[in-house]
């Protein structure tokens, strides 16, 4: 059983509700519990936890022990984005730590080598990726599947069609660091997914801010990660509201995702 259920799409909306997930990568790590409480008090729906291993991405951040410590201080939904090779090694630790969702990279689950993902096909589920999805669910967690900017969105289709994933994360920057510029052309990947899957959670991550949210919202994204734009704002609550309003307006606009 998962700890918290996921919100569902309602009539008159073309996607599930807006979920705003501040990335704690941009917080003051020495004051993490307070930073998380501050975000929840200001209207955050989820907290996005960026896990980097120095192999899949050229940066090191945090792991399951920090999530376990954090869980003692917050009831918030902890959305853990694993930017690691061999993500299957960490699922049980994150479940035990109190994570709610584990999002792993399709490229990493396809094999340990940096180029192993070239063996993935749009019309065939890769056994290692299927095993990973089952493993995350068996650990009692929601399943997210992340795509690097260069990874074709079609490669995610077999897993969505088989009902193996709850969310697809479309990266709108190269994973590894906060504070990079939004890649607007990558939003088109969200539109491809939204046209086929009205009920899927579609997350965008990287460079989201009041100045870029409208593009992602028009493409059909509903789960919005933002690090520097929220934590760097004089009033994070204002930014959280702006992001949410943009998604909700697009969801009820009657315009096809594009
Ligand atoms: C990048 C991370 C993001 C990052 C977003 O690898 O996955 O979650 O924290 O930060 P901003 O919103 O500053 O681009
Ligand atoms: Zn992230």
């Amino acid at each position: 059983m998962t700890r918290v259920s996921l919100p569902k799409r309602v009539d008159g909306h073309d996607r599930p509700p807006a979920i705003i997930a501040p990335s704690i990568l941009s917080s003051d790590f020495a004051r993490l519990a307070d930073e998380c409480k501050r975000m929840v008090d200001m209207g955050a729906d989820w907290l996005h936890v960026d896990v980097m291993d120095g192999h899949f991405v050229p940066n090191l951040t945090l792991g399951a022990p920090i999530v376990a410590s954090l869980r003692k201080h917050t009831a918030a939904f902890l959305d853990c984005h694993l930017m690691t090779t061999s993500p299957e090694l960490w699922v049980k630790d994150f479940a035990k730590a109190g994570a709610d969702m584990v999002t792993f990279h399709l490229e990493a689950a396809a094999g340990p080598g940096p180029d192993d993902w070239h063996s993935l096909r749009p019309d065939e589920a890769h056994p290692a990726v299927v095993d990973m999805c089952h493993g995350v669910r068996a650990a009692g967690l929601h399943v997210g599947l992340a795509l690097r900017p260069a990874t074709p969105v079609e490669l995610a289709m077999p897993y969505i069609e088989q009902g193996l994933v709850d969310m697809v994360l479309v990266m709108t920057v190269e994973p590894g660091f906060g504070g990079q510029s939004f890649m607007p052309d990558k939003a088109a990947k969200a539109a491809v997914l939204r046209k086929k899957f009205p009920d899927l959670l579609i997350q965008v991550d990287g460079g989201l801010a009041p100045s870029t949210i409208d593009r992602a919202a028009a493409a059909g994204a509903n789960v919005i990660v933002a690090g520097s734009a929220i934590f760097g704002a004089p009033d994070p609550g204002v930014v959280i509201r702006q992001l949410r309003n943009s998604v909700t307006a697009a969801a009820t606009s009657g315009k096809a995702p594009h």
Side-chain angles (χ1 to χ4, degrees):
M1 262 305 271
T2 46
R3 205 178 65 88
V4 179
S5 58
L6 299 171
K8 298 269 182 284
R9 186 170 69 89
V10 296
D11 284 351
H13 291 241
D14 71 357
R15 68 194 80 183
I19 295 171
I20 311 303
S23 166
I24 63 169
L25 185 59
S26 293
S27 71
D28 177 352
F29 276 7
R31 305 179 62 250
L32 200 48
D34 292 342
E35 292 278 76
C36 290
K37 181 175 185 315
R38 187 164 72 100
M39 288 301 131
V40 172
D41 289 348
M42 291 203 183
D45 301 284
W46 292 1
L47 297 171
H48 183 81
V49 181
D50 284 309
V51 178
M52 306 187 190
D53 70 347
H55 293 278
F56 185 73
V57 290
N59 197 5
L60 271 175
T61 55
L62 54 84
I66 304 280
V67 171
S69 298
L70 204 49
R71 178 49 83 210
K72 295 184 188 135
H73 296 272
T74 183
F77 187 101
L78 299 176
D79 156 33
C80 298
H81 176 193
L82 267 54
M83 287 161 275
T84 71
T85 53
S86 304
E88 69 282 358
L89 295 178
W90 309 114
V91 174
K92 285 201 177 107
D93 287 354
F94 276 88
K96 204 167 157 216
D100 291 285
M101 173 178 266
V102 157
T103 297
F104 62 93
H105 271 266
L106 178 59
E107 309 85 5
D115 295 320
D116 285 344
W117 72 272
H118 291 298
S119 67
L120 292 164
R121 297 169 51 94
D123 53 355
E124 199 176 275
H126 188 294
V129 180
V130 173
D131 285 352
M132 180 68 194
C133 294
H134 285 312
V136 174
R137 283 244 169 98
L141 302 170
H142 299 292
V143 184
L145 181 65
L147 306 174
R148 291 187 99 127
T151 305
V153 66
E154 289 72 21
L155 295 182
M157 297 298 180
Y159 316 99
I160 309 168
E161 280 161 2
Q162 291 183 33
L164 294 170
V165 302
D166 301 297
M167 181 176 85
V168 173
L169 163 50
V170 173
M171 289 301 301
T172 45
V173 299
E174 202 53 61
F177 300 92
Q180 303 180 75
S181 298
F182 179 71
M183 300 163 107
D185 55 317
K186 300 305 166 196
K189 290 159 80 172
V192 171
L193 293 173
R194 180 59 70 214
K195 281 185 195 144
K196 285 190 78 166
F197 306 106
D199 296 311
L200 180 69
L201 298 181
I202 301 179
Q203 183 174 58
V204 283
D205 181 9
L208 274 305
S211 58
T212 55
I213 185 62
D214 288 348
R215 176 71 202 99
N222 74 297
V223 187
I224 311 300
V225 176
S228 46
I230 292 179
F231 282 92
D235 185 345
V238 169
V239 176
I240 289 172
R241 278 195 294 282
Q242 285 172 331
L243 299 175
R244 187 190 311 286
N245 289 345
S246 175
V247 172
T248 306
T252 52
S253 69
K255 288 191 195 140
H258 62 276

